[in-house]
């Protein structure tokens, strides 16, 4: 793959694209081979997933893209996808005759760059090279005869034509571009950004084994990229490489764990942290958000649409559903209409609990957010643990403070103990980060460097934060922290769990969150999509909290949330949003 | 039926070709009148037969896709693909029959087989087989053995039917080609 385009045929890209097709159905194998050959691609077929894997391992750089069936007798297509993603980092297209949303979602969650429905047509295969190119561009690698700018133009053209099969990888690039346009930085900047990025590391089996060995040696709860890097002792490997791989690896592990529960997939780790105390998702989510500053820009553009979803989601369910009903309903199907008769008093508690959960399910970072004191006034029982909360929030503020040191434009008020302020500090910090990235792209590498130091710092099991995020028992511990002070102690814990399943069921049934599904599943796959979630929370807070606080939110911010995606692209309005975040 | 050696060398490439031009008909027709009339008749019959296969939903547009794929480099492509399908479907139908003979019917396993059959029937556009697969999978979900068994019968029947139909079609094509004609493009039929 590294040398994939250095061969003579590279000037004719995508002609000669090397495609590995895996399908246990001989008929389809033959048809696909024919179709791909008609596209002038170089085709290798095999009917067993294991065989495919060994082919891929034998010839590391022998293929550009893999097309794999979902159902295969010897190995689940999703598992193959995991392996290919982890070891070869090749784009994988899944295909199936089964177009159920949950299946497609599972594919995308496992890292598929596309999901084709059988019968597959030529016109769908003709364009698969775009996944290869997209990956190349993402990695900031020049393809011979196509410099990156050209690549982006091609991509843009393709993407304009491309409809729903446009997955996050594409959208990410899109957003980057649009954001760039806003900042009146044309593609040139993008090019600069990409070229400053380091060459991609191919995680060979050996390298991966070294990595796994190091992880096991350190122990899951304490693991951090720096430590792994030291233990692996591979001179050319950077901490960023390891961090990114660690992130993938954790996702991989947590997915393995919930293989039987695909609907809950997007709650990665949160649900499963209970059962697997080894897996440090919380820790990792935080790290990744810091570790991949390059994606910050992208994620910021996503976040608005995402916010909309979360707001609606929580509003509609949270306010209407009786706690007890939550328990019942989530074992079956969510029927909101049935719960509308719920008396008022329960409402607030319910909302609170929902709030927490929605954040939990969204991201480990939600743990911090859950301590948002803006809830205090709303929910009497939260009053008592206020001190506790502050204590919990300390590390957050601390973290954000550090975080904010990198961008030059950090307002001093950010590093404050009041958790409410800490929220604003997150937002302003984030926007500062964005500005930073937008204005001076050159400053990025050091920034990411710093960030990763930051993560390491986070990993040290000193602070209470680390005790949840690091040890990934966030769920239980969260409840524990609530328990001593809360009047609704026991049910709280239960409900949180139930709500989780509520959200996941809703997702599965594809109700109003259909669009978000994509967002959510997307960030699970994507390195560095996590900052988005940070932002989810930021913008959520006012809404969940005290109505008083809510009204304090500047109207333009609120509008931004409502108008969502498009709005955030508006070049004139965007600065206002930033401002709004500062004020909030 | 009179058989004659193939006409012009140029026509050779069209032998067995599905997606080829009608224009070569013209050549063969003009060559020898009595043969051409026969070829023309056979071609009309072929067209009618193909139409009926689509109208009766034995085949769907995927079959046309396959015809488009067939080219001079691989004139037997469709025949190969179709025979692969029938081998595979035979295996799957056997597996299914065996699975239903077990004391404890494993619906998950059955669903897996049916899913595979659905996939491969979609590959050649065997629409009716595919539709029965869809029905059978919902019976599987309900764990309805009777429904499943009925579907299995239907599957066997439909597979057999479409197999016969396709064999007929291929035979007609062979005859047309043997008579020096060529196969009209299916797309032009509709």
């Amino acid at each position: 793959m590294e040398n994939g385009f250095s061969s003579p045929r590279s000037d004719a890209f995508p002609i000669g694209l090397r495609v590995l097709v895996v399908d246990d159905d001989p008929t389809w194998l033959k048809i696909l081979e024919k179709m791909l050959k008609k596209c002038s691609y170089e085709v290798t077929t095999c009917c067993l997933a294991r065989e495919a894997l060994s082919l891929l391992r034998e010839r590391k750089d022998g293929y550009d893209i893999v097309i794999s069936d979902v159902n295969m007798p010897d190995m689940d297509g999703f598992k193959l996808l995991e392996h290919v993603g982890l070891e070869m980092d090749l784009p994988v297209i899944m295909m199936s005759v089964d177009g159920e949303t949950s299946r497609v979602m599972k594919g995308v969650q496992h890292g598929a760059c596309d999901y084709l429905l059988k019968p597959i047509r030529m016109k769908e295969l003709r364009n698969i090279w775009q996944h290869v190119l997209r990956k190349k561009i993402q990695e900031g690698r020049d393809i011979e005869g196509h410099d990156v700018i050209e690549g982006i133009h091609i991509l843009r053209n393709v993407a304009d034509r491309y409809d729903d099969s446009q997955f996050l990888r594409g959208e990410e690039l899109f957003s980057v571009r649009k954001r760039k346009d806003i900042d009146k930085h044309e593609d040139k900047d993008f090019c600069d950004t990409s070229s400053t990025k380091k060459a991609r590391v191919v995680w060979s089996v050996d390298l991966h084994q070294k990595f796994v060995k190091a992880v096991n040696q350190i122990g899951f709860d304490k693991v951090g990229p720096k430590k792994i890097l030291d233990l692996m002792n591979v001179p050319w490997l950077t901490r960023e490489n390891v961090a990114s791989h660690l992130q993938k690896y954790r996702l991989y592990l947590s997915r393995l764990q919930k293989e039987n529960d695909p609907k809950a997939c997007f709650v990665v780790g949160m649900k499963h942290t209970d059962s697997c105390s080894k897996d440090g998702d919380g820790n990792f989510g935080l790290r990744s958000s810091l570790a991949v500053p390059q994606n910050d820009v992208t994620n910021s553009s996503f976040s608005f649409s995402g916010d909309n979803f979360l707001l609606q989601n929580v509003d509609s369910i949270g306010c209407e559903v009786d706690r007890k009903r939550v328990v019942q309903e989530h074992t079956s199907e969510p029927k909101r209409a049935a719960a509308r008769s719920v008396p008022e008093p329960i409402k607030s508690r319910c909302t609170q609990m929902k709030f927490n959960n929605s954040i939990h399910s969204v991201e480990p970072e939600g743990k911090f957010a859950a301590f948002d004191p803006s809830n205090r006034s709303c929910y009497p029982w939260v009053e008592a643990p206020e001190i506790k909360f502050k204590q919990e929030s300390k590390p957050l503020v601390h973290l954000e403070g550090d975080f904010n040191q990198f961008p030059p434009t950090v307002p001093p008020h950010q590093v404050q103990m009041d958790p409410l302020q800490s929220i604003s500090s997150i937002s302003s910090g984030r926007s500062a980060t964005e500005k930073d990235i937008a204005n001076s792209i050159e400053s990025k590498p050091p920034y990411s460097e710093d960030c990763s130091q930051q993560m390491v710092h986070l990993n040290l099991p000193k602070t209470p934060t680390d005790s949840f995020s690091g040890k990934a028992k966030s769920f239980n511990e969260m409840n524990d922290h609530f328990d001593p002070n809360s009047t609704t102690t026991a049910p709280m814990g239960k409900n949180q769990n139930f709500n989780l399943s509520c959200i996941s069921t809703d997702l599965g049934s594809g109700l109003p969150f259909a669009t978000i599904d994509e967002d959510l599943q997307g960030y699970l796959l994507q390195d560095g999509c996590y900052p988005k979630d940070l932002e989810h929370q930021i913008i959520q807070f006012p809404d969940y909290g005290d109505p008083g606080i809510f009204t304090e939110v500047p109207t333009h911010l609120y509008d931004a949330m409502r108008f969502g995606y498009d709005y955030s692209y508006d070049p004139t309005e965007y600065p206002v949003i930033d401002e709004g975040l500062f004020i909030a | 039926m009179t058989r004659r050696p193939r006409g012009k060398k140029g026509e050779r490439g069209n032998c067995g070709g599905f997606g080829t031009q009608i224009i070569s008909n013209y050549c063969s027709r003009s060559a020898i009148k009595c043969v051409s009339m026969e070829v023309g008749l056979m071609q009309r019959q072929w067209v009618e037969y193909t139409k009926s296969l689509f109208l009766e939903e034995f085949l769907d547009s995927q079959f046309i896709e396959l015809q488009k794929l067939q080219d001079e480099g691989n004139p037997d492509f469709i025949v190969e693909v179709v025979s692969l399908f029938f081998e595979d479907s035979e295996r799957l139908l056997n597996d299914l029959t065996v699975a239903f003979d077990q004391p404890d019917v494993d619906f998950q396993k059955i669903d897996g087989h049916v899913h595979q059959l659905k996939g491969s029937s979609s590959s050649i556009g065997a629409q009716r087989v595919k539709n029965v697969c869809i029905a059978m999978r919902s019976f599987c979900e309900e764990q309805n053995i009777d429904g499943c068994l009925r579907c299995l019968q239907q599957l066997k029947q439909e597979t057999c039917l479409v197999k016969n139909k396709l064999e007929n079609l291929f035979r007609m094509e062979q005859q047309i080609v043997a008579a020096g004609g060529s196969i009209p493009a299916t797309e032009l039929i509709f």
Side-chain angles (χ1 to χ4, degrees):
Chain A
M1 189 69 197
E2 286 288 312
N3 308 318
F5 295 96
S6 54
S7 56
R9 65 168 176 264
S10 62
D11 15 291
F13 179 84
I15 291 172
L17 195 81
R18 295 156 310 167
V19 189
L20 178 67
V21 188
V22 198
D23 196 336
D24 61 316
D25 184 335
T27 322
W28 267 115
L29 215 50
K30 188 168 179 70
I31 295 172
L32 287 171
E33 185 185 13
K34 184 80 184 175
M35 285 180 165
L36 289 163
K37 278 185 174 160
K38 283 218 169 211
C39 298
S40 314
Y41 299 152
E42 211 176 89
V43 194
T44 314
T45 56
C46 77
C47 58
L48 291 172
R50 293 192 190 286
E51 196 188 313
L53 210 51
S54 62
L55 272 175
L56 285 164
R57 281 172 181 157
E58 267 167 42
R59 291 177 54 200
K60 279 277 140 50
D61 296 338
Y63 305 95
D64 297 316
I65 190 165
V66 179
I67 303 181
S68 161
D69 191 40
V70 171
N71 301 77
M72 282 178 291
D74 64 327
M75 184 196 271
D76 191 272
F78 297 118
K79 203 157 280 177
L80 176 69
L81 184 58
E82 299 276 7
H83 280 286
V84 176
L86 268 176
E87 290 173 29
M88 296 80 176
D89 200 22
L90 289 177
V92 180
I93 297 174
M94 300 297 281
M95 56 180 176
S96 173
V97 73
D98 205 345
E100 258 176 70
T101 310
S102 62
R103 302 289 282 173
V104 180
M105 198 188 298
K106 195 176 173 192
V108 178
Q109 276 166 343
H110 281 66
C113 64
D114 205 346
Y115 194 106
L116 299 178
L117 283 187
K118 286 176 178 175
I120 295 167
R121 297 287 156 90
M122 271 277 275
K123 60 178 185 205
E124 293 173 286
L125 294 174
R126 214 166 260 146
N127 275 336
I128 58 166
W129 55 265
Q130 67 183 302
H131 301 295
V132 179
L133 181 62
R134 190 173 293 131
K135 216 167 176 111
K136 291 269 170 196
I137 292 172
Q138 266 182 339
E139 283 148 14
R141 290 170 54 84
D142 284 6
I143 293 167
E144 270 181 34
H146 286 254
D147 75 353
V148 172
I149 292 181
E150 200 181 332
I152 287 164
H153 283 309
I154 292 170
L155 184 67
R156 197 180 291 182
N157 292 337
V158 170
D160 285 344
R161 278 184 277 123
Y162 213 46
D163 42 14
D164 12 36
S165 43
Q166 184 71 39
F167 287 108
L168 279 168
R169 283 178 195 289
E171 285 174 13
E172 188 178 296
L173 271 160
F174 249 152
S175 318
V176 170
R177 170 166 69 84
K178 290 193 175 173
R179 206 37 238 294
K180 291 293 164 200
D181 290 345
I182 290 163
D183 293 318
K184 305 213 160 51
H185 288 270
E186 268 307 317
D187 290 343
K188 203 166 143 271
D189 287 330
F190 184 86
C191 193
D192 291 344
T193 328
S194 324
S195 54
T196 54
K197 250 195 111 186
K198 292 193 178 72
R200 185 175 57 95
V201 174
V202 171
W203 284 84
S204 64
V205 183
D206 290 347
L207 198 62
H208 181 61
Q209 272 166 1
K210 261 188 184 177
F211 169 86
V212 174
K213 216 176 130 192
V215 171
N216 290 337
Q217 206 172 324
I218 297 163
F220 254 143
D221 38 354
K222 290 175 222 141
V223 84
K226 180 81 171 73
K227 287 182 190 173
I228 299 172
L229 186 65
D230 291 346
L231 263 176
M232 282 177 74
N233 197 21
V234 178
W236 47 269
L237 215 57
T238 69
R239 189 166 37 205
E240 283 80 9
N241 297 148
V242 177
S244 143
H245 193 64
L246 178 62
Q247 187 180 338
K248 275 189 199 165
Y249 186 60
R250 284 191 203 268
L251 273 175
Y252 168 69
L253 290 179
S254 58
R255 271 189 225 118
L256 284 188
Q257 226 134 15
K258 69 185 94 61
E259 206 69 319
N260 300 328
D261 189 10
K263 281 187 178 174
C265 267
F266 88 100
V267 204
V268 169
M270 291 316 296
K271 230 182 143 176
H272 294 264
T273 39
D274 292 356
S275 53
C276 82
S277 53
K278 271 184 126 186
D279 198 338
D281 281 292
N283 178 3
F284 129 73
L286 203 55
R287 173 183 312 112
S288 53
S289 68
L290 295 166
V292 198
Q294 176 131 17
N295 287 330
D296 281 353
V297 179
T298 310
N299 293 320
S300 66
S301 6
F302 272 117
S303 58
F304 288 102
S305 56
D307 293 332
N308 272 348
F309 144 68
L310 279 163
L311 293 172
Q312 287 158 9
N313 175 2
V314 174
D315 279 352
S316 54
I317 312 173
C319 297
E320 287 166 11
V321 183
D322 181 298
R323 282 208 339 234
K324 282 174 188 168
R325 277 170 201 261
V326 172
V327 175
Q328 294 159 357
E329 279 163 25
H330 298 151
T331 49
S332 57
E333 289 257 300
K335 290 169 200 155
R336 280 181 232 151
R340 278 178 199 255
S341 55
V342 174
E344 284 289 301
I346 305 171
K347 207 171 155 184
S348 61
R349 242 186 278 155
C350 195
T351 314
Q352 165 62 23
M353 147 194 110
K354 260 298 175 183
F355 163 59
N356 282 339
N357 283 311
S358 61
I359 285 184
H360 289 322
S361 58
V362 167
E363 228 344 85
E365 283 134 318
K367 272 170 262 153
F368 304 121
F371 296 110
D372 175 8
S374 60
N375 294 312
R376 250 182 291 156
S377 42
C378 215
Y379 314 110
W381 57 270
V382 188
E383 293 276 47
E386 188 187 311
I387 302 161
K388 188 88 180 170
F389 276 5
K390 284 200 170 183
Q391 202 184 347
E392 297 301 327
S393 320
K394 254 183 212 172
L396 166 66
V397 179
H398 174 55
L399 152 74
E400 294 306 330
D402 288 344
F403 186 87
N404 284 329
Q405 280 167 11
F406 315 120
T409 53
V410 181
H413 76 271
Q414 283 173 349
V415 192
Q416 283 185 27
M417 294 312 291
D418 184 328
L420 179 59
Q421 289 294 337
S422 77
I423 289 152
S424 70
S425 77
I426 297 171
S427 39
S428 45
R430 200 199 52 71
S431 50
T433 311
E434 267 187 44
K435 275 184 199 159
D436 186 34
I437 290 168
N439 294 337
S440 57
I441 287 143
E442 290 72 25
S443 69
K444 218 181 266 172
Y447 172 57
S448 73
E449 196 83 26
D450 286 343
C451 278
S452 27
Q453 271 162 18
Q454 214 33 57
M455 323 169 224
V456 175
H457 171 65
L458 272 175
N459 292 334
L460 299 174
K462 278 181 200 157
T463 60
T465 322
D466 289 323
S467 70
F468 348 148
S469 56
K471 287 173 186 160
K473 290 177 193 159
S474 46
F475 239 106
N476 294 335
E477 290 199 19
M478 279 285 298
N479 291 339
D480 289 347
H481 290 309
F482 277 116
D483 284 348
N485 315 292
S486 148
T487 49
T488 52
T489 315
M492 262 293 290
K494 267 186 205 159
N495 285 323
Q496 286 188 339
N497 290 329
F498 276 110
N499 281 328
L500 262 185
S501 55
C502 159
I503 290 170
S504 35
T505 325
D506 279 347
L507 271 175
S509 57
L511 284 170
F513 329 143
T515 46
I516 303 315
D517 289 358
E518 286 177 23
D519 288 343
L520 288 174
Q521 59 185 304
Y523 78 70
L524 293 175
L525 307 171
Q526 293 272 246
D527 302 357
C529 268
Y530 293 91
K532 170 179 67 180
D533 307 304
L534 203 58
E535 205 169 67
H536 276 321
Q537 292 142 20
I538 297 156
I539 299 178
Q540 281 165 353
F541 297 153
D543 207 21
Y544 297 130
D546 181 357
I549 288 173
F550 182 68
T551 54
E552 279 165 37
V553 178
T555 41
H556 49 262
L557 173 61
Y558 188 53
D559 282 344
M561 297 189 296
R562 281 193 298 131
F563 290 127
Y565 201 78
D566 291 333
Y567 189 91
S568 68
Y569 287 144
D570 189 327
T572 54
E573 295 291 1
Y574 200 83
V576 185
I577 297 172
D578 276 356
E579 214 177 291
L581 287 170
F582 274 99
I583 296 164
Chain B
M1 187 182 75
T2 33
R3 295 197 178 215
R4 54 175 285 271
R6 284 176 196 129
K8 291 177 191 169
K9 208 181 176 191
E11 278 177 44
R12 208 161 231 181
N14 298 328
C15 297
F18 283 74
T20 46
Q21 317 83 348
I22 295 180
I23 203 151
S24 54
N25 276 344
Y26 182 72
C27 303
S28 55
R29 211 178 298 166
S30 59
I32 299 170
K33 211 183 173 188
C34 77
V35 172
S36 74
M37 278 177 70
E38 200 172 84
V39 168
L41 185 68
M42 285 194 289
Q43 280 170 332
R44 276 196 295 281
Q45 281 175 342
W46 182 88
V47 166
E48 286 309 308
Y49 195 71
T50 310
K51 264 187 190 169
S52 74
L53 290 185
F54 283 94
L55 289 175
E56 290 165 38
E57 295 188 332
F58 284 104
L59 298 175
D60 65 19
S61 58
Q62 175 63 16
F63 193 75
I64 299 175
E65 290 293 313
L66 293 188
Q67 289 179 325
K68 284 189 216 159
L69 282 177
Q70 182 163 271
D71 53 25
E72 285 152 36
N74 195 353
D76 294 326
F77 178 69
I78 293 194
V79 177
E80 284 170 22
V81 167
V82 166
S83 33
L84 269 178
F85 165 70
F86 286 116
E87 277 169 34
D88 203 42
S89 60
E90 200 176 322
R91 177 183 62 84
L92 286 168
L93 288 173
N94 272 336
D95 287 352
L96 277 172
T97 313
V98 171
F100 277 110
D101 284 344
Q102 304 303 311
D104 284 325
V105 177
D106 183 349
F107 282 100
Q108 216 174 336
K109 197 173 173 186
I110 286 167
D111 186 66
H113 291 319
V114 180
H115 178 88
Q116 266 183 285
L117 190 58
K118 185 185 165 195
S120 57
S121 59
S122 79
S123 72
I124 65 154
Q127 208 178 350
R128 282 161 74 149
V129 177
K130 189 175 138 187
N131 289 343
V132 180
C133 285
I134 294 169
M136 188 163 172
R137 287 194 79 190
S138 58
F139 282 128
C140 262
E141 210 173 322
E142 298 165 17
Q143 310 231 323
N144 180 341
I145 293 195
D146 290 337
C148 280
L149 283 172
R150 254 195 328 257
C151 281
L152 181 59
Q153 274 319 108
Q154 269 179 289
L155 273 183
K156 286 176 177 170
Q157 217 177 324
E158 289 297 340
T159 316
C160 194
L161 259 175
V162 74
K163 191 178 178 187
N164 287 336
K165 297 272 179 188
L166 283 171
E167 275 168 358
N168 279 341
L169 188 75
F170 294 151
R171 205 173 300 124
M172 289 168 89
E173 286 174 7
Q174 278 170 358
Q175 285 170 356
I176 292 172
V177 169
S182 69
I183 313 301
T186 317
E187 297 154 88
L188 301 177
I189 298 176
F190 298 100

